[in-house]
Amino acid sequence: MSAAARLDLRDSSCPITWVKTRIALERLALGEVLEVWLGEGEPAASVPRTAEEEGHQLVALEPLAAGPGAAIRLLVRKGAPPPALP
């Protein structure tokens, strides 16, 4: 699968990982895919969860590297935002 954009956030921590991911998603058209490289731990757990909560679709979540400096590769398809609460 080809991504429209790629972010390498392996050296970033939360909440900046989500802030940068969200900005990148805002620049994409509906349905385009963003590839994000994240460090293990909190970023790997919170960015995919928050993306889904914001109405985006997780396409893949897989190891990018193992051992020291381990990372994950996230593919997320831009979706429509969830409806606003009344």
Side-chain angles (χ1 to χ4, degrees), residues 31-43:
E32 287 187 314
V33 174
L34 175 66
E35 180 176 353
V36 185
W37 296 357
L38 298 163
E40 285 192 327
E42 188 177 356

Side-chain angles (χ1 to χ4, degrees), residues 67-85:
I72 65 156
R73 175 179 177 249
L74 168 67
L75 293 176
V76 59
R77 184 180 317 277
K78 182 176 179 172
L85 297 173

Side-chain angles (χ1 to χ4, degrees), residues 4-63:
R6 177 183 301 148
L7 289 177
D8 184 349
L9 301 176
R10 292 176 287 181
D11 293 332
S12 299
S13 59
C14 290
I16 198 68
T17 51
W18 172 245
V19 171
K20 288 183 177 184
T21 300
R22 185 175 188 182
I23 290 169
L25 283 165
E26 287 174 356
R27 293 178 177 157
L28 298 180
L30 189 65
E32 287 187 314
V33 174
L34 175 66
E35 180 176 353
V36 185
W37 296 357
L38 298 163
E40 285 192 327
E42 188 177 356
S46 66
V47 171
R49 181 186 66 242
T50 307
E52 284 186 312
E53 290 171 357
E54 294 282 325
H56 307 292
Q57 177 191 7
L58 297 184
V59 176
L61 183 62
E62 56 197 21

